């Protein structure tokens, strides 16, 4: 059995991590605080990342037209039907959730922290969108609650980053990870497999790079081509290769083998809304993908980190 597991999982799951830390089931409550993004409003770019949906990649967040407490309670009450004795983490998911004046950020974050059984916050953002003033506040916040900053990276490869319109450099990302860790703030990094024209080798190189950084978690996504995105236009024009299900499973298992064993796997596949998805259609069967990753790791007699030092 993998050392960070109490099940058949051969990688360090977020569920296991939370149960060890909080001695309870913990789930995230996804929120839409109505923020925008510097890659949309023109500060660093326009149009956003080419894969980003109209909801700012917050498909399962709350309705931004409702106040945060209403959003929180609607999502929480639905989740409690499955896990009635759970605790909660407020997840600021949609768009860039540090991209606002500090007084606005404080009001939104602390509104959620005041709610019963909230044990922490996850804040999704960009590495170019956390001011020094915000960093100082986040450091204070991290001493009061379990705080995690989720940074979008997607790939270490500059050519791909330019193609997908990320509008920040790898050095910018590295510098922000360092600043957050100097303040003892937890960092989770998002990457995407199957980005246009990336090879398996390139995707593994992204994971090898991250394994050498002081990060606490990773989210591995499969590229979703969604309706009404710039990515849809590129796909219709260039018909770039989309990973087959078997290829994705193989790549993820390789990536797990190269990841340090103490990095918590917060996500291991995408989770698009069916009505918005163009490709790949196999993404809608999330549970079977997870099961087949488990089966492949068992078939290999492998586990997370087995190749970390290679």
């Amino acid at each position: 059995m993998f050392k960070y597991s109490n099940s058949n999982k051969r990688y360090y799951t977020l569920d296991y991590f939370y149960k060890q830390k909080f001695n309870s089931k913990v789930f995230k409550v996804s929120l839409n605080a109505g923020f925008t993004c510097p890659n949309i409003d023109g500060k660093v770019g326009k149009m956003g990342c080419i894969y980003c949906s109209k909801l700012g990649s917050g498909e399962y967040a709350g309705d931004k037209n409702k106040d945060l407490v209403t959003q929180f309670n609607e999502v929480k009450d639905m989740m409690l039907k499955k896990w009635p004795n759970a605790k909660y983490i407020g997840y600021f998911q949609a768009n860039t959730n540090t991209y606002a004046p500090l007084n606005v950020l404080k009001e939104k974050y602390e509104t959620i922290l005041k709610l019963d059984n909230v044990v922490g916050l996850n804040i999704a953002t960009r590495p170019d969108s956390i001011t020094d003033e915000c960093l100082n506040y986040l450091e204070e916040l991290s001493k009061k609650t379990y705080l995690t900053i989720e940074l979008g990276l997607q790939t270490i490869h500059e050519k791909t980053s330019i193609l997908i319109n990320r509008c920040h450099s790898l050095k910018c990302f590295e510098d922000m990870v360092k600043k957050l860790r100097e303040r003892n703030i937890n960092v989770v990094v998002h990457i995407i497999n199957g980005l246009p024209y990336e090879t398996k080798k390139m995707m593994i190189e992204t994971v090898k790079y991250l394994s050498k950084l002081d990060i606490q978690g990773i989210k591995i996504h499969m590229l979703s081509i969604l309706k009404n995105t710039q990515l849809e236009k590129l796909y219709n024009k260039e018909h770039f290769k989309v990973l087959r299900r078997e290829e994705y499973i193989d790549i993820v298992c390789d990536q797990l083998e190269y990841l340090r064993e103490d990095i918590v796997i917060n996500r291991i596949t995408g989770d698009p809304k069916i009505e918005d998805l163009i490709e790949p259609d196999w993404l809608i069967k999330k549970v079977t993908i997870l099961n087949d990753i488990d089966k492949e790791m068992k078939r290999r007699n492998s586990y997370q980190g087995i190749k970390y030092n290679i």
Side-chain angles (χ1 to χ4, degrees), residues 200-208 251 254-255 258:
K200 175 180 177 180
K201 180 174 181 288
M202 293 169 74
M203 297 174 220
I204 291 173
E205 284 171 348
T206 292
V207 159
K208 286 182 176 180
I251 290 167
D254 281 1
Q255 289 173 321
Y258 284 108

Side-chain angles (χ1 to χ4, degrees), residues 175-209:
D175 290 347
M176 184 50 66
V177 171
K178 183 178 179 182
K179 288 179 180 180
L180 289 164
R181 294 304 298 144
E182 284 174 348
R183 292 163 172 79
N184 202 34
I185 298 170
N186 301 301
V187 176
V188 169
V189 180
H190 291 233
I191 65 170
I192 299 176
N193 288 334
L195 288 168
Y197 310 111
E198 285 212 345
T199 63
K200 175 180 177 180
K201 180 174 181 288
M202 293 169 74
M203 297 174 220
I204 291 173
E205 284 171 348
T206 292
V207 159
K208 286 182 176 180
Y209 160 84

Side-chain angles (χ1 to χ4, degrees), residues 86-125:
K87 296 176 182 177
Y88 328 121
I89 284 181
Y91 179 25
F92 287 84
Q93 181 182 23
N95 289 304
T96 303
N97 292 277
T98 56
Y99 188 52
L102 187 60
N103 64 310
V104 175
L105 299 179
K106 285 183 177 182
E107 187 274 328
K108 292 183 183 294
Y109 300 162
E110 292 175 21
T111 292
I112 298 302
L113 285 175
K114 291 176 184 176
L115 301 177
D116 290 343
N117 289 320
V118 172
V119 295
L121 295 179
N122 275 42
I123 300 171
T125 189

Side-chain angles (χ1 to χ4, degrees), residues 13-125:
T13 68
L14 185 62
D15 184 63
Y16 178 82
F17 172 78
Y18 281 157
K19 285 178 179 175
Q20 296 299 306
K21 183 170 184 63
F22 298 107
N23 196 31
S24 170
K25 173 68 182 179
V26 176
F27 62 76
K28 294 179 188 175
V29 178
S30 295
L31 303 165
N32 187 333
F35 295 115
T36 183
C37 175
N39 197 15
I40 292 175
D41 70 6
K43 182 175 181 180
V44 300
K46 295 182 179 179
M47 307 296 290
C49 301
I50 64 172
Y51 50 77
C52 194
S53 71
K54 62 182 180 295
L55 294 174
S57 295
E59 270 64 26
Y60 295 95
D63 181 347
K64 69 179 181 180
N65 296 311
K66 298 179 180 179
D67 67 83
L68 284 175
V69 174
T70 299
Q71 287 185 43
F72 186 94
N73 286 331
E74 287 180 349
V75 176
K76 178 202 72 175
D77 291 347
M78 179 178 63
M79 302 282 275
L80 279 176
K81 294 175 183 177
K82 187 174 183 179
W83 298 298
N85 299 310
K87 296 176 182 177
Y88 328 121
I89 284 181
Y91 179 25
F92 287 84
Q93 181 182 23
N95 289 304
T96 303
N97 292 277
T98 56
Y99 188 52
L102 187 60
N103 64 310
V104 175
L105 299 179
K106 285 183 177 182
E107 187 274 328
K108 292 183 183 294
Y109 300 162
E110 292 175 21
T111 292
I112 298 302
L113 285 175
K114 291 176 184 176
L115 301 177
D116 290 343
N117 289 320
V118 172
V119 295
L121 295 179
N122 275 42
I123 300 171
T125 189

Side-chain angles (χ1 to χ4, degrees), residues 16 27 30 84 129 141 147 160 166-167 180 209 237 240-241 244 247-248 253 272 296-297 310:
Y16 178 82
F27 62 76
S30 295
S129 300
L141 202 58
L147 177 66
T160 309
R166 278 300 295 172
C167 294
L180 289 164
Y209 160 84
K237 178 183 176 183
F240 57 81
K241 173 183 168 59
R244 291 181 290 107
E247 290 176 302
Y248 181 77
C253 290
E296 176 61 13
M297 293 295 280
I310 297 177

